[in-house]
Amino acid sequence: MSFVTINFEKVKKLVGDKVNIIAVSKTFEYIHIKPLVEIGHKHFGENKVQEAERKWPEVKKYFPDIKLHMIGKLQSNKAKQAVKLFDYIHSLDNLKLANLLSKYETLFNKKRKYFIQVNVANEKQKSGIDKNKLALFYKYCTEELNLKIIGLMCIPPNDGSANVYFKSTMELNESLGLKELSIGMSADFLTAIKYNSTFIRIGSAIFGERS
Ligand SMILES: *Cc1c(COP(=O)(O)O)cnc(C)c1O
């Protein structure tokens, strides 16, 4: 077993079978990712469209069950490529982007799965929909644009307060009747699963520190 698969098995043992582990492979080349692909792991996350376009299309041809997740900020001018390449997009965070994603879904005859990113702690530097605008945004995305919104995503502040923000994201998720929840990274995934996370996004705990 490689370093990466050993780390992956450790995470898997901690979280059990009910939680989907997205192996966040951003910055790592395929040579590091390959052992996980070869043991049949399905969910992989990237945060840049261009990097993902360079790394994944060929691999997906050989491993068609792989699901690619866009977890980083998605610029409007990359919406088209994102709809082509990703199965899940976790960073739906504004109206303009929602309109474009819907347009390209129609154009390419594809349906993707989305998480709405919520700015739960109201941080100026972070993207995400404001809690107070969430219900309206959700309604617009589902009813007007027919986007398949499966859950909420948040990135809590990095100050030890994850509990509070995971809890409020879980409650918002429930208030919309959503089934999936994208919370938890390497540092806080055990906390996230206490708040019903269904997709944890794990980078460094699997692949090691990024340079
Ligand atoms: C990089 C990244 C992760 C993974 O971070 P780790 O701390 O390395 O697990 C998760 N979510 C998002 C949005 C990221 O950009």
Side-chain angles (χ1 to χ4, degrees):
M1 277 218 282
S2 73
F3 165 77
V4 166
T5 45
I6 290 168
N7 290 341
F8 171 77
E9 295 298 343
K10 277 186 199 158
V11 173
K12 187 155 172 145
K13 204 165 169 188
L14 288 169
V15 303
D17 283 337
K18 277 186 272 180
V19 181
N20 296 291
I21 302 168
I22 302 170
V24 176
S25 50
K26 65 188 187 194
T27 77
F28 289 96
E29 291 307 317
Y30 187 63
I31 183 86
H32 300 282
I33 307 167
K34 194 174 172 212
L36 263 193
V37 170
E38 290 181 341
I39 63 165
H41 187 62
K42 303 264 179 306
H43 295 285
F44 291 89
E46 292 285 343
N47 71 336
K48 294 200 172 88
V49 173
Q50 260 179 321
E51 182 181 340
E53 276 182 324
R54 178 170 65 72
K55 281 155 67 175
W56 287 101
E58 192 70 7
V59 181
K60 275 188 116 186
K61 270 189 214 159
Y62 291 98
F63 298 91
D65 292 342
I66 283 180
K67 303 293 179 203
L68 264 196
H69 295 253
M70 174 57 183
I71 61 168
K73 175 77 185 166
L74 181 54
Q75 304 298 339
S76 302
N77 63 3
K78 298 277 163 58
K80 182 178 175 180
Q81 292 98 309
V83 169
K84 279 191 183 163
L85 182 61
F86 291 96
D87 301 284
Y88 294 74
I89 292 172
H90 293 239
S91 42
L92 174 54
D93 64 356
N94 68 80
L95 272 178
K96 183 181 176 193
L97 179 62
N99 286 326
L100 286 167
L101 292 166
S102 171
K103 172 179 137 181
Y104 291 119
E105 280 195 345
T106 308
L107 202 65
F108 305 137
N109 192 26
K110 293 214 184 293
K111 287 305 283 179
R112 299 314 192 189
K113 292 178 178 149
Y114 300 93
F115 291 89
I116 296 174
Q117 183 172 351
V118 187
N119 189 356
V120 265
N122 253 314
E123 295 172 279
K124 275 211 184 73
Q125 75 283 12
K126 264 191 199 149
S127 41
I129 297 286
D130 188 294
K131 273 196 286 187
N132 305 316
K133 297 184 180 142
L134 177 63
L136 201 61
F137 182 71
Y138 172 74
K139 193 173 154 67
Y140 179 78
C141 288
T142 51
E143 291 179 12
E144 304 296 322
L145 301 179
N146 199 25
L147 293 177
K148 191 165 176 54
I149 309 291
I150 61 171
L152 301 181
M153 178 272 220
C154 86
I155 305 171
N158 193 9
D159 62 0
S161 62
N163 261 285
V164 177
Y165 296 109
F166 285 162
K167 182 165 187 281
S168 61
T169 308
M170 175 189 77
E171 288 165 356
L172 289 167
N173 213 52
E174 285 167 359
S175 75
L176 297 173
L178 293 167
K179 298 267 182 322
E180 308 297 339
L181 182 56
S182 171
I183 54 174
M185 308 177 21
S186 292
D188 54 20
F189 66 90
L190 289 175
T191 307
I193 61 176
K194 284 196 244 163
Y195 296 103
N196 299 345
S197 176
T198 63
F199 283 89
I200 55 175
R201 310 179 307 268
I202 309 296
S204 49
I206 294 176
F207 294 103
E209 290 305 318
R210 290 178 293 273
S211 48

